[in-house]
């Protein structure tokens, strides 16, 4: 039986769905650009009962139009990217450095990467970095990894940009390398992209057998790699119906290789902005046109809860919410006080 240890990523803090807060995306209004604000927001999220915080792995940003084109985000059946306007540059703290600092400024929040670009670090070195942070944080790391897509960023930093096929194949090898480094006394691996010979990881991760591995991406090939080598899959901006279809596909793929489907979790990234004002809701949709409307959860707290329950019924038990202007608005407090305490745990799939 295939089992990508350690099974379904846990849900510390309470029964039911895991709720994470994204602190940085490459979209203006959805990123905390300085560390004092990031610390304050993370600590507030922790006090409200969020389970985790997550950072993206980017060094620069482009205009919203370039973002939706390069990320492959579309808003209609024709595949046309929605128009968006605005400045092209926002401050972004480097992911690993900021998470390491947050590990000392928080106590219970899990620390996640949504998601690391596989091409930016060799997998054996990445495994050592993650193990170190897992030790420092007392076992709170969730490692999300993707094949990478931001060609302009690759070129700006002098990083080779292979074909899509090669980037995805290298991602599959990286997952195997990292698990080997984390779990074997004398890890060895030889593939088309990576080779290690005795890449010992001492001290090893606190989490046994290793920190949860998440794969970010919507492509079928990437998801099938997750079925063989990861603990969870994260998709962005999808409606509940599409998540239900992907959950069913993942279940079939798991069964085809004799893996228990409950050991592979499906996570969704959405924008969450509870407001009962129709005017503010309309402004949010206009402001974040680079995100498909299906990826926005807005309305009253009760309306937002109902949308979240639809995802739970679709087989999603892990949520990564990005909140507009989270350092300056009251949305985070509204979520913590009016949504998190009322999540319907009865609809959540049982973890393995």
């Amino acid at each position: 039986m295939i089992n990508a240890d350690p099974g379904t990523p846990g849900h510390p803090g309470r029964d039911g769905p895991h709720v994470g807060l994204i602190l940085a995306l490459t979209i203006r209004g959805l990123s905390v650009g300085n560390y004092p604000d990031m610390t304050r927001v993370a600590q507030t999220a922790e006090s409200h009962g969020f389970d985790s915080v997550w950072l993206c792995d980017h060094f620069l940003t482009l205009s919203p139009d370039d973002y939706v084109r390069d990320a492959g985000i579309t808003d209609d059946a024709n595949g046309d990217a929605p128009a968006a306007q605005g400045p092209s540059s926002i401050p972004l703290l480097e992911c690993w450095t900021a998470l390491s600092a947050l590990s000392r400024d928080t106590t219970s929040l899990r620390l996640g990467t949504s998601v690391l670009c596989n091409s930016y670090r060799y997998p054996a070195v990445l495994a050592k970095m993650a193990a170190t942070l897992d030790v420092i944080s007392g076992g709170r790391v969730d490692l999300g990894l993707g094949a990478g897509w931001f060609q302009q960023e690759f070129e700006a930093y002098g990083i080779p940009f292979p074909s899509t096929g090669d980037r995805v194949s290298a991602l599959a090898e990286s997952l195997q390398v990292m698990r080997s480094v984390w779990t074997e006394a004398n890890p060895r691996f030889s593939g088309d992209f990576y080779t290690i010979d005795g890449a010992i990881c001492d001290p090893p991760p606190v989490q046994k057998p290793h920190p949860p591995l998440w794969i970010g991406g919507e492509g079928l090939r990437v998801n099938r790699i997750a079925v063989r080598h990861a603990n969870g899959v994260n998709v962005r901006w999808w409606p509940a119906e599409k998540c239900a279809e992907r959950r069913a596909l993942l279940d079939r793929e798991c069964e085809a290789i004799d893996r228990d489907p409950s050991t592979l979790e499906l996570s969704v990234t959405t924008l969450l902005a509870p407001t009962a004002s129709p005017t503010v809701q309309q402004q949010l949709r206009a402001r974040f046109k680079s995100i498909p409307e299906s990826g926005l959860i807005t309305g009253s707290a009760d309306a937002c809860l109902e949308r979240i329950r639809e995802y739970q019924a679709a087989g999603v038990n892990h949520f990564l919410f990005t909140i507009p202007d989270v350092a300056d608005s009251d949305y985070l407090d509204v979520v913590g006080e009016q949504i998190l305490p009322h999540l319907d745990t009865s609809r959540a799939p049982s973890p393995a």
Side-chain angles (χ1 to χ4, degrees):
M1 174 177 286
I2 298 292
N3 188 342
D5 295 330
T8 302
H11 308 280
R14 64 167 177 273
D15 295 331
H18 179 112
V19 180
L21 175 65
I22 298 178
L23 297 177
L25 287 177
T26 57
I27 302 174
R28 181 169 291 275
L30 301 181
S31 180
V32 182
N34 67 79
Y35 190 70
D37 280 348
M38 186 175 284
T39 305
R40 176 173 54 83
V41 170
Q43 292 174 344
T44 300
E46 189 168 60
S47 71
H48 281 311
F50 277 81
D51 297 303
S52 58
V53 290
W54 301 72
L55 296 177
C56 68
D57 186 31
H58 289 292
F59 313 138
L60 56 80
T61 60
L62 295 176
S63 70
D65 288 332
D66 287 337
Y67 169 75
V68 296
R69 184 194 65 234
D70 290 356
I73 297 171
T74 58
D75 198 34
D76 57 41
N78 296 322
D80 295 329
Q85 302 297 327
S88 62
S89 178
I90 60 175
L92 287 172
L93 296 174
E94 194 280 322
C95 176
W96 274 113
T97 310
L99 282 179
S100 297
L102 285 172
S103 75
R104 309 304 291 169
D105 289 332
T106 59
T107 57
S108 62
L109 286 172
R110 296 190 64 79
L111 308 166
T113 58
S114 182
V115 291
L116 299 174
C117 177
N118 180 60
S119 298
Y120 292 172
R121 303 163 191 88
Y122 281 102
V125 175
L126 177 57
K128 177 65 176 178
M129 294 167 63
T132 298
L133 183 54
D134 206 49
V135 169
I136 292 171
S137 66
R140 292 190 278 145
V141 169
D142 277 57
L143 196 149
L145 192 65
W149 56 269
F150 202 165
Q151 183 173 355
Q152 286 87 339
E153 186 171 71
F154 279 74
E155 293 172 349
Y157 282 80
I159 301 169
F161 187 70
S163 67
T164 300
D166 281 353
R167 296 199 311 275
V168 173
S169 296
L171 171 65
E173 287 193 10
S174 285
L175 296 169
Q176 298 171 73
V177 168
M178 286 189 290
R179 289 179 61 191
S180 175
V181 170
W182 282 334
T183 61
E184 296 176 14
N186 190 23
R188 288 183 168 84
F189 180 87
S190 180
D192 294 328
F193 300 91
Y194 305 111
T195 299
I196 59 172
D197 184 5
I200 297 169
C201 187
D202 189 11
V206 170
Q207 298 179 86
K208 301 303 179 187
H210 60 71
L213 281 167
W214 292 88
I215 296 303
E218 291 80 20
L220 291 179
R221 186 181 173 205
V222 170
N223 283 186
R224 285 170 176 143
I225 289 170
V227 166
R228 289 191 170 273
H229 303 299
N231 305 107
V233 173
N234 177 260
V235 296
R236 306 164 298 169
W237 323 127
W238 280 11
E241 312 84 68
K242 193 170 182 179
C243 288
E245 294 172 359
R246 184 53 52 93
R247 178 71 267 180
L249 182 145
L250 292 172
D251 289 352
R252 293 194 299 270
E253 293 289 332
C254 285
E255 291 164 356
I257 61 171
D258 200 24
R259 175 176 179 175
D260 181 354
S262 69
T263 65
L264 183 72
E265 190 155 340
L266 179 61
S267 165
V268 65
T269 293
T270 72
L271 183 150
L272 177 60
T275 173
S277 167
T279 300
V280 175
Q281 294 172 34
Q282 190 174 35
Q283 290 171 347
L284 287 167
R285 291 190 181 96
R287 182 182 176 192
F288 295 105
K289 287 185 68 175
S290 59
I291 298 174
E293 189 168 342
S294 62
L296 275 65
I297 298 179
T298 187
S300 67
D302 286 341
C304 291
L305 275 167
E306 186 55 37
R307 286 283 306 280
I308 294 170
R309 289 167 182 155
E310 291 174 2
Y311 281 104
Q312 289 183 267
V316 175
N317 202 35
H318 200 285
F319 296 87
L320 303 187
F321 293 127
T322 179
I323 296 177
D325 306 312
V326 68
D328 303 309
S329 69
D330 63 354
Y331 289 132
L332 182 59
D333 289 330
V334 175
V335 171
E337 295 166 4
Q338 300 182 32
I339 293 180
L340 294 191
H342 304 290
L343 289 177
D344 187 352
T345 60
S346 65
R347 298 189 183 213
S350 299

